[in-house]
Amino acid sequence: MTAELVRGQNHTLPQTRLEIRISAGTPVVAGATLGDEHGTVHGVERIAHPGSPQLPGLEVSRQAAAEHRLAVDLDALPEGVHRVTVLLALPLGAGGPARFGAVAAPFVAVTGLEGTEIATFTLTGLDSESAVAALELYRRQGAWKVRAVGQGYAGGLAAMLADQGVDRAAELAGSIQEAVARGLARSVSPPPPRAPEGDRVRHPARPAPAPDGGQPAVGQPPVGPPSAGPSPVGQPPVGPPGARQPESPAAVPSGPIDYAHPRRQSATPPPPPPAAPPAGPGQPARPVAGDATGWSMDERLYNQIWGMFEDLARTTAAYRSAVDFADSRMDQELERTLSDPRSRIGGAGGLAREQARAKRDELTGRAREALDRDLAQLTAESAVVEPALPAPYAGWDNPVWHAYRVPMEIPMALRIGDLHLPESAALRIPLLVRLPLERGIWIDSGRGASEAAALTDADQLHRLAMESAVLHAARLLAVYPAGEFSVHVIDPAGAASAALAPLVRAGVLAGPPASGAGGVSSVLAQLTRRVDLVQMAIRAGAADSLPPDLDPAEQLLIVNDFPHGFDDRAVNQLRYLADEGPSVGVHLLMVADREDASAFGPVLDPLWRSLLRLTPIADDHLADPWVGHAWTYEPLTTPPGSRVLELVLAQVAAARRGGPR
C-alpha cells in the first residue's frame, strides 16, 4: 500500500533498489547529495547532478525536464553515507518561471524497480523558493527510511548546497546551471500545450506490465485547439496536477500501441477519423493518417507525428530499462553465488551462473519481443502517415512536392530532418519545428563526435553544411505565402557561391550575397534596425506606424563561415539578432564550426546555446524532451538527379514577381 507522506513524515523502505520519480509542471533540475549521519556533504564528489549524473549507487537525469527518474541502490552507496537528499531547482535563464510558487506543486514518488509505489509526497506551500530539498532517504539503526522534507530556499541552488555544508556552493551551483543550459540547448522542443489544463483528459495508452508484475506505463503529448500560444522552448508537455499516472521504465511493454492518443478533447476540436477495422480477430486496428485531434488535417498529422515520437521514446525506454533490470539482477545473483565458499566447490557455482544467465536471457528476450511488437505497430503507422503528409511535413522525395503550389497561409510546422534510435534504425520520425521559428538554427560544419564526421573531409563537411542550409532556406521560402518571407545571405569570402547557386539563379534572395567586411556590416545594420524599430513600435502600441521602407515579411539571415569577416561589433549584433530577432520575425541560419570561433572564448556560449544545432550528416546529438534518449538526426536531402528544388524555387520566384496571392 502506498504511503502518502506529508512534510516531516517518514516511512520504512522495504527494499534497497529504488526509483525516485518526479513530476512537475515545468522543467526542473533534479539531483541528489550523499551526506553523513549529520547530513553534511563532504565534497562535490558526493553530489549527483546533470553535469555529473552518476555516483556509486545513484544516477540522476542529465537535463532539466518536467519528469525525472532517479535510480538508487542503497547497498551500493559509498561507505559512510547515511543520507541521500533529493534536490529540485528551477533552471536559470531558460525563459521559465523563477519561483516554485508560480508552477504546479511538484510530485515525488519512491517506487520499486517494478514500478510499485512505496511512498509519495506532493510539495505544496512553496512560494518564492527556486530550489527545494524534496525528500531524503536516511539510515536509522541499520534500516533505510524515506522522509518528506519540502524545505525550500529562496536563495536557490547555491543556498541549498551551502546549507548542506558544501564548500564553494555558489561556484558549484553555477556549473550545474551551465550543464543544464547545455542540455536544454540540445533538447528538441515538444509541441506546446495549447489547450487549457481543465479541458484535457488523460487516458492510458500501451499498458506495460513489468517483468515481475507492476503498474502499467502511460504518457503522451498534449494536443488542443490552435487558440492558445506556444509554451516555453524545451518545456515538455505535462498533464493536470491531479492526473498523475507515471510510467515504469523498468516495465516490459507486452501489448500493442493504442493509437487513440491521450489527452484528447471531448467537445472540441473535431474528433479524429475512425480507425480502419482490425486486420483479424485479436489484432489491433489498422492505423490511419490523421489519427489525432485537431482543427485541420495538418494539425491532426502534426499531433500524430508527435504521438509517434513519444511512443517510440517511451517504448524504447521501457526496453532499455528492462534490459538493465535483467543485467542487474543477474549480477546480484552471481555475486551472492560467488560470495558463498560452498558454491566454488564442485559444479554448483557453474550451475548457478548458467541459471542466472538463463533468467537474464529470458527477461531480455521478453522485452525485445514486446519492443518488436510496438515497433511493428509504429512502422505500420509511419507507412500510412508518410504518404499523407502535406509539403511542409514531407521529405523532398515525397510526390507531394511535384504538385507544389505556393500556399496562401503559413503552416503550423516545418520538417527539418528525421530522427531514429539504434534499436529501430529503419523507423524514422519526422522532426517538426513550429512556425514561426522560435529559435535560430546552427548547421555545424565541424567534425563533431560522430564516426561519419570523423571520416569526412573538412572541406566536404563545410560544403554539405552549406547545401543543407540552402535546402532549409528553400523549404522556408516554399511554405510561406508569396512575399511573406525574405532571405539575406552573408558570405564574407564568397566561398559558398556554388551552394547558393539555386537561390541566386531563382532570384528568391532579398539581395546579392553580402561579402567583405562592408557587406557584413551593412546587412547586420539593416536587420538590427528592423528589430529595434519593430520592438519600439510594439512597446508603444503603434505597430501600424512603422517606416514605409521596412519590409514587413519574416526575415531569414544565412551566415556562412562564421566568424570569418566578423569584428567584435558584428559579433555583438549577431548575438542580438539571435536573442531578440525571433520574437519580431528575424531568424538566423548559421553555418559554422565552433572551433573556428574558439578565440572569442565563453562570450559566444550563449549564442551556441540559443541555436538549434543540426548537422549535415547523421549524428546522435539531439535529445527528446521525455526521457532524454540520444537520437540520431538525419538531414533532409533531395533525391539524386531530381529537379524538385529547381521546380519549387521557380514557383516561389514566379509568385513573388506576381505579388502576394
Side-chain angles (χ1 to χ4, degrees):
M1 183 176 180
T2 303
E4 297 185 2
L5 305 180
V6 297
R7 188 174 277 105
Q9 188 177 3
N10 60 41
H11 181 73
T12 301
L13 294 171
Q15 59 198 84
T16 58
R17 293 180 58 81
L18 308 164
E19 277 192 347
I20 299 174
R21 301 179 181 177
I22 300 163
S23 299
T26 187
V28 297
V29 183
T33 60
L34 306 181
D36 59 17
E37 60 271 19
H38 305 295
T40 303
V41 178
H42 298 281
V44 296
E45 66 277 4
R46 294 267 172 120
I47 304 174
H49 56 83
S52 179
Q54 291 182 323
L55 295 178
L58 179 64
E59 183 173 2
V60 303
S61 304
R62 297 174 182 270
Q63 64 185 48
E67 297 180 5
H68 290 274
R69 285 179 188 79
L70 282 60
V72 181
D73 184 352
L74 298 173
D75 290 335
L77 293 175
E79 186 178 355
V81 172
H82 289 259
R83 190 176 302 181
V84 180
T85 305
V86 177
L87 315 176
L88 304 180
L90 294 171
L92 300 178
R99 59 188 184 90
F100 275 107
V103 301
F107 172 80
V108 184
V110 180
T111 77
L113 290 182
E114 74 286 353
T116 303
E117 287 186 348
I118 299 170
T120 64
F121 175 42
T122 302
L123 284 77
T124 57
L126 298 176
D127 186 13
S128 61
E129 299 90 344
S130 60
V132 59
L135 55 78
E136 62 183 16
L137 313 178
Y138 65 99
R139 181 158 43 191
R140 182 67 53 82
Q141 298 177 347
W144 283 94
K145 297 183 178 183
V146 56
R147 177 188 291 121
V149 180
Q151 174 64 53
Y153 294 83
L157 191 57
M160 180 166 53
L161 294 174
D163 192 42
Q164 297 187 30
V166 179
D167 293 331
R168 304 171 69 179
E171 182 179 335
L172 176 59
S175 66
I176 293 173
Q177 293 288 1
E178 178 71 16
V180 171
R182 290 195 299 268
L184 288 175
R186 65 185 288 268
S187 179
V188 177
S189 301
R194 290 171 294 120
E197 290 287 352
D199 291 341
R200 294 191 194 140
V201 179
R202 198 170 194 175
H203 304 287
R206 289 196 295 107
D212 301 319
Q215 301 299 316
V218 300
Q220 291 293 341
V223 294
S227 56
S231 65
V233 176
Q235 177 171 334
V238 294
R244 295 182 281 95
Q245 294 177 324
E247 73 288 356
S248 170
V252 180
S254 63
I257 295 171
D258 181 359
Y259 288 102
H261 291 295
R263 277 184 261 174
R264 302 196 176 180
Q265 295 198 327
S266 57
T268 58
Q283 297 295 317
R286 296 189 184 97
V288 296
D291 184 19
T293 298
W295 294 86
S296 66
M297 187 61 174
D298 287 2
E299 186 176 5
R300 290 177 177 179
L301 288 168
Y302 172 82
N303 288 330
Q304 185 174 15
I305 288 170
W306 273 93
M308 294 165 59
F309 188 10
E310 186 174 2
D311 275 344
L312 182 54
R314 293 195 183 278
T315 194
T316 304
Y319 167 73
R320 292 179 180 179
S321 187
V323 171
D324 289 344
F325 171 77
D327 289 340
S328 176
R329 192 165 82 169
M330 181 187 71
D331 291 341
Q332 286 186 320
E333 291 178 355
L334 290 176
E335 184 178 353
R336 284 196 298 268
T337 299
L338 296 176
S339 64
D340 185 355
R342 293 173 298 179
S343 66
R344 294 194 286 269
I345 302 174
L351 179 60
R353 282 190 288 270
E354 290 179 6
Q355 291 175 340
R357 293 191 180 101
K359 291 179 182 177
R360 188 273 312 270
D361 292 343
E362 179 187 1
L363 284 176
T364 56
R366 288 167 52 194
R368 185 70 217 193
E369 289 176 4
L371 176 66
D372 288 342
R373 285 195 294 270
D374 281 354
L375 292 181
Q377 290 282 56
L378 283 169
T379 300
E381 186 172 16
S382 177
V384 172
V385 169
E386 277 286 353
L389 295 178
Y393 303 175
W396 286 111
D397 56 350
N398 193 308
V400 70
W401 284 105
H402 295 284
Y404 167 77
R405 293 294 182 269
V406 176
M408 300 296 292
E409 59 183 18
I410 302 172
M412 68 183 301
L414 178 72
R415 185 173 184 167
I416 59 172
D418 293 330
L419 299 172
H420 65 85
L421 291 171
E423 288 86 353
S424 52
L427 177 58
R428 307 299 173 94
I429 302 295
L431 174 55
L432 303 180
V433 295
R434 295 278 296 190
L435 292 180
L437 295 173
E438 296 177 343
R439 62 194 293 199
I441 296 175
W442 162 33
I443 310 294
D444 190 353
S445 59
R447 289 194 179 277
S450 71
E451 182 179 352
L455 298 175
T456 306
D457 178 75
D459 292 337
Q460 184 183 4
L461 267 177
H462 189 274
R463 177 181 58 80
L464 292 173
M466 195 60 204
E467 290 175 354
S468 180
V470 168
L471 289 176
H472 288 306
R475 291 178 73 87
L476 284 163
L477 283 165
V479 301
Y480 271 77
E484 294 190 18
F485 198 84
S486 296
V487 178
H488 308 261
V489 177
I490 289 179
D491 184 19
S497 56
L500 292 168
L503 300 178
V504 175
R505 282 198 304 264
V508 293
L509 296 178
S515 60
V520 172
S521 176
S522 175
V523 172
L524 290 176
Q526 175 188 346
L527 294 177
T528 301
R529 171 179 176 267
R530 184 188 189 281
V531 172
D532 289 339
L533 290 174
V534 174
Q535 284 185 337
M536 287 189 293
I538 293 174
R539 284 196 294 264
D544 56 348
S545 62
L546 291 168
D549 64 331
L550 192 77
D551 183 3
E554 297 269 321
Q555 309 289 312
L556 176 71
L557 173 60
I558 302 176
V559 178
N560 180 44
D561 243 357
F562 177 80
H564 299 298
F566 281 72
D567 56 20
D568 289 346
R569 175 180 171 81
V571 168
N572 287 332
Q573 288 177 313
L574 192 70
R575 288 181 56 189
Y576 177 71
L577 292 178
D579 292 338
E580 304 294 335
S583 63
V584 291
V586 177
H587 312 286
L588 185 61
L589 177 54
M590 192 165 72
V591 176
D593 180 355
R594 188 167 183 173
E595 289 298 317
D596 292 342
S598 58
F600 287 93
V603 71
L604 287 181
D605 286 352
L607 173 64
W608 304 118
R609 287 197 299 265
S610 69
L611 304 174
L612 174 62
R613 176 177 174 255
L614 302 179
T615 53
I617 56 179
D619 188 80
D620 59 347
H621 66 282
L622 292 177
D624 66 79
W626 301 287
V627 292
H629 292 316
W631 293 72
T632 297
Y633 167 79
E634 294 269 4
L636 297 176
T637 58
T638 55
S642 172
R643 297 180 62 238
V644 62
L645 178 62
E646 178 183 343
L647 296 174
V648 168
L649 290 177
Q651 289 265 12
V652 172
R656 288 165 65 95
R657 288 192 297 269
R661 302 191 306 175

